[in-house]
């Protein structure tokens, strides 16, 4: 997260939920939190929160295969930001 901006309680809660058992997913999500989290819209935050309920292997499948376009535009927007390096 941006060092000069204090995260909200909700942002800290979501950042904590990004800690995963799968190392690859954990690394990708921590990078996402550091680089893109502050700029998410309210709808993107809601979708991201719902995505965090997915099992690691399902979530990783969504993240790792950019050839599959998700039908929900907000989900695809969040996935695009997660995949950005």
């Amino acid at each position: 997260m941006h060092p000069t901006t204090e995260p909200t309680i909700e942002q800290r809660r979501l950042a904590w939920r990004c800690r995963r058992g799968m190392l690859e997913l954990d690394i990708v999500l921590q990078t996402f939190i550091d680089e893109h989290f502050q700029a998410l819209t309210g709808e993107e935050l809601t979708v991201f929160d719902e995505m965090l309920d997915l099992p690691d292997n399902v979530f990783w499948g969504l993240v790792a295969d950019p050839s599959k376009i998700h039908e929900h535009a907000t989900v695809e927007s969040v996935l695009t930001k997660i995949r950005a390096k």
Side-chain angles (χ1 to χ4, degrees), residues 24-40:
E24 296 88 345
L25 189 56
D26 192 45
I27 291 168
V28 167
L29 291 178
Q30 291 307 311
T31 301
F32 166 74
I33 289 294
D34 292 342
E35 296 178 5
H36 300 283
F37 191 70
Q38 291 290 333
L40 293 179

Side-chain angles (χ1 to χ4, degrees), residues 44-80:
E44 288 173 329
L45 283 171
T46 299
V47 165
F48 182 61
D49 191 23
E50 292 169 1
M51 291 170 75
L52 290 171
D53 289 335
L54 296 170
D56 284 357
N57 60 332
V58 174
F59 197 174
W60 180 248
L62 290 172
V63 171
D65 189 357
S67 68
K68 292 182 182 174
I69 305 298
H70 198 280
E71 67 224 28
H72 190 283
T74 306
V75 171
E76 188 58 34
S77 173
V78 172
L79 286 171
T80 298

